[in-house]
Amino acid sequence: MEFGFTEAQEKLRGEIREFFMKELPEDYEAGFNSMMGKEVQSWWMRLKEKAIEKGYYVPGWPSEYGGSGFTEMEQCILDEEQGHFGVTWPDFLGLHLVAPSLMMFGTEEQKKRWIPPIAKGETVCFEAFTEPNAGSDEANIGCRAEENGDHFVFNGQKVFISGWYKPTWLFTLARTRDIVPKHKGLSLFLIPADLPGISFRPLSTMGGGRQNYVFFDNVKVPKDNLLGQLHFGFYHAMQVFEFERRMTGDAAGGKRLLQELIAFCRETSSNGQPLLENPDIRKNLAKLAVENEVQRLAGWYSAWRFTQREKLGPVPG
Ligand SMILES: Cc1cc2nc3c(=O)[nH]c(=O)nc-3n(C[C@H](O)[C@H](O)[C@H](O)COP(=O)(O)OP(=O)(O)OC[C@H]3O[C@@H](n4cnc5c(N)ncnc54)[C@H](O)[C@@H]3O)c2cc1C
């Protein structure tokens, strides 16, 4: 299949590219590490303000929520450029996962209250789904949310939760009933990260990333913080994962890294021969290039489906 972008979309892409070329320091190296200090964090906060001012933060969102009223395609063009330059906003999960989820299955009241602060860059959301016994097996979530009057009481633990900045919100899944099959007993929540009983412990990972443990100890969560239908959280989570798949920036960042790796293999020799002339290395680089292209196309396919307002989730075979 052949697809492309309109002239106006290409123009927007060029303007965004120019913005980042002008704003990012010449010696800027893409990527994060767990040592990112306060000074670097405030530099990112200032750059974010400039991007918001230019309309390069949520161009694809409806204007009533603070966007420029373009479509998901323009939003994903922005993401692709950000991925290329290695730009990750402090609230990248609020932008990519939480706000689109609110737009899809939040109540009108929740949309009005929670989306505009995300569009203004005032929030930092963590996606707190994974647990020691629930990674790929999402239905095995053990963190409990017991109904009690006008609130739920949370107890349990999350692990591998990404985040470098102090969070304002936790986007999380919890078990609201015991039932077989297990996936019919989960619910999705958006809860303030500073409720009494929530605590965090840093967890450094091999790639230089900063993940966290999150603990819930008798945390009282108002019922208004339930997002979507009670006990329907597994199905909502599958839609959230579709938003993750449409992060076109990830493939763009990967492509840039691959280009750097190819340049390294061209410039570096072993036994008097450039690495790039080694057939095994060429084969592996080609494999990476194919995987990167598959990721790029999968991202754009998800973006296009979302633009068509089709139901998100697994595509029937
Ligand atoms: C850097 C990093 C950042 C992360 N950030 C977040 C975050 O922000 N929020 C969050 O909620 N989580 C986050 N995670 C967690 C991530 O989503 C989980 O690691 C992922 O869901 C896999 O779960 P697991 O690690 O428990 O592996 P497991 O589920 O135990 O899987 C281990 C291996 O078994 C394979 N496997 C599992 N089940 C099957 C099966 N049925 N058939 C065949 N193979 C199978 C898997 O493919 C994998 O290779 C992060 C993880 C990392 C490493």
Side-chain angles (χ1 to χ4, degrees):
M1 183 177 74
E2 284 287 323
F3 66 85
F5 300 94
T6 65
E7 223 171 272
Q9 286 169 339
E10 289 296 3
K11 184 166 171 281
L12 178 70
R13 182 191 290 281
E15 288 164 2
I16 294 168
R17 187 165 288 199
E18 214 170 284
F19 170 77
F20 285 122
M21 280 169 71
K22 185 169 146 260
E23 295 295 339
L24 291 169
E26 252 174 52
D27 60 350
Y28 171 71
E29 277 185 37
F32 276 94
N33 66 62
S34 52
M35 303 304 286
M36 185 169 71
K38 288 259 173 296
E39 206 181 307
V40 180
Q41 290 200 358
S42 41
W43 183 85
W44 276 107
M45 289 291 189
R46 287 198 301 277
L47 182 61
K48 178 198 69 184
E49 294 305 324
K50 286 187 193 173
I52 292 173
E53 220 169 274
K54 296 280 288 180
Y56 298 158
Y57 197 62
V58 289
W61 293 10
S63 42
E64 63 196 288
Y65 301 133
S68 311
F70 288 122
T71 70
E72 192 63 13
M73 298 305 272
E74 283 79 6
Q75 191 66 37
C76 287
I77 287 171
L78 170 68
D79 292 345
E80 209 166 49
E81 289 308 310
Q82 287 173 177
H84 172 79
F85 285 103
V87 170
T88 307
W89 297 128
D91 195 18
F92 72 104
L93 292 170
L95 292 168
H96 287 289
L97 308 184
V98 180
S101 302
L102 281 164
M103 287 182 212
M104 191 167 255
F105 35 78
T107 62
E108 280 313 307
E109 212 263 324
Q110 288 175 332
K111 289 179 195 177
K112 282 196 193 109
R113 194 151 45 108
W114 289 336
I115 300 176
I118 298 177
K120 285 189 219 147
E122 294 168 354
T123 50
V124 171
C125 303
F126 282 8
E127 180 197 25
F129 284 11
T130 304
E131 297 181 2
N133 293 314
S136 316
D137 187 6
E138 200 71 2
N140 205 35
I141 293 273
C143 174
R144 305 188 75 84
E146 305 269 1
E147 270 190 271
N148 186 356
D150 60 355
H151 60 270
F152 292 89
V153 180
F154 271 59
N155 278 293
Q157 174 188 347
K158 302 286 175 181
V159 70
F160 287 131
I161 307 309
S162 297
W164 304 265
Y165 294 77
K166 194 171 182 305
T168 40
W169 291 104
L170 296 181
F171 187 45
T172 194
L173 272 179
R175 179 158 301 285
T176 39
R177 67 172 169 178
D178 290 305
I179 189 174
V180 177
K182 287 187 289 188
H183 73 279
K184 294 198 170 171
L186 306 182
S187 301
L188 183 65
F189 294 86
L190 185 62
I191 64 182
D194 60 354
L195 288 181
I198 300 180
S199 58
F200 301 86
R201 199 189 315 146
L203 168 67
S204 299
T205 43
M206 277 171 69
R210 157 75 187 265
Q211 274 62 52
N212 303 272
Y213 294 99
V214 181
F215 302 94
F216 298 97
D217 183 10
N218 285 320
V219 181
K220 278 172 77 173
V221 175
K223 281 200 168 157
D224 291 352
N225 294 82
L226 173 73
L227 180 48
Q229 257 175 275
L230 186 66
H231 309 315
F232 207 72
F234 181 85
Y235 298 94
H236 293 322
M238 293 306 111
Q239 291 172 320
V240 172
F241 295 150
E242 190 80 356
F243 294 134
E244 294 207 46
R245 261 170 232 128
R246 89 178 189 315
M247 285 196 202
T248 48
D250 287 353
K255 185 169 181 177
R256 183 177 178 146
L257 285 177
L258 180 61
Q259 284 165 346
E260 287 174 10
L261 182 60
I262 291 170
F264 173 82
C265 292
R266 185 174 290 122
E267 289 154 17
T268 312
S269 291
S270 170
N271 296 326
Q273 200 188 36
L275 293 177
L276 201 57
E277 283 173 27
N278 178 319
D280 282 337
I281 290 176
R282 292 179 76 84
K283 192 175 77 187
N284 280 308
L285 289 172
K287 201 168 150 234
L288 285 174
V290 170
E291 284 173 1
N292 180 253
E293 183 62 6
V294 169
Q295 187 188 18
R296 185 182 80 85
L297 292 173
W300 278 110
Y301 181 59
S302 294
W304 174 76
R305 286 180 80 215
F306 186 64
T307 307
Q308 307 297 308
R309 289 288 184 266
E310 284 185 38
K311 192 167 178 272
L312 298 181
V315 180

